[in-house]
Amino acid sequence: MSELPHVRPTAPEAPRAADASPGLPAGTRPALDAVDVLAFLCELFAFGTLAVWGFTAWPFPWNIAVGIGAPVIAILLWALFVSPRAVIAVHPFVRALVELLVYAAATIVWWTSGNAWIGLAYAVVAVTVGLVAGRRRLA
């Protein structure tokens, strides 16, 4: 037994969250900035647009189903693939494609309802914010 080296156990390192930046305490996230707020507002605008479209563009029995179903489907897609705590981890390009799909749906709704300028303005803002936020996530 005397030939074995004397080893003392050391405490394991504290686990670090995957999304936590170095230097931040465990369980905390970086502070929100303007891009995060604009991205959230673009998401809410898309979901609200799909709900209004569903309730106004369809006749009575269908307007309830589409008015509730369209934003619910968009929110489920967002929660599954795009959100910061996404249920299914996918490649960043798939994430961007789902995000673009939701934004494009809202843009098409505005465009087909006769408000092309609102749809175009929303598309420019949403895609710009999505590109900036996506670049920052990849960095």
Side-chain angles (χ1 to χ4, degrees):
M1 287 265 175
S2 62
E3 296 175 14
L4 295 175
H6 184 63
V7 178
R8 290 188 172 182
T10 60
E13 292 182 22
R16 220 178 62 186
D19 61 348
S21 299
L24 289 176
T28 60
R29 295 178 185 227
L32 294 176
D33 59 356
V35 175
D36 295 328
V37 173
L38 282 175
F40 181 68
L41 291 176
C42 285
E43 297 163 22
L44 287 181
F45 189 78
F47 302 148
T49 296
L50 292 173
V52 169
W53 168 75
F55 285 121
T56 60
W58 296 84
F60 171 64
W62 293 105
N63 69 343
I64 305 291
V66 177
I68 294 172
V72 165
I73 290 171
I75 290 170
L76 283 175
L77 284 173
W78 198 274
L80 287 174
F81 302 109
V82 181
S83 77
R85 293 178 155 188
V87 176
I88 301 171
V90 293
H91 193 272
F93 292 114
V94 175
R95 180 179 178 162
L97 183 66
V98 172
E99 185 176 3
L100 190 61
L101 177 71
V102 172
Y103 290 159
T107 300
I108 290 169
V109 164
W110 283 107
W111 192 279
T112 58
S113 67
N115 297 311
W117 288 108
I118 295 174
L120 185 63
Y122 172 71
V124 168
V125 169
V127 169
T128 303
V129 169
L131 284 173
V132 171
R135 293 277 306 198
R136 191 173 53 185
R137 279 190 299 258
L138 291 176

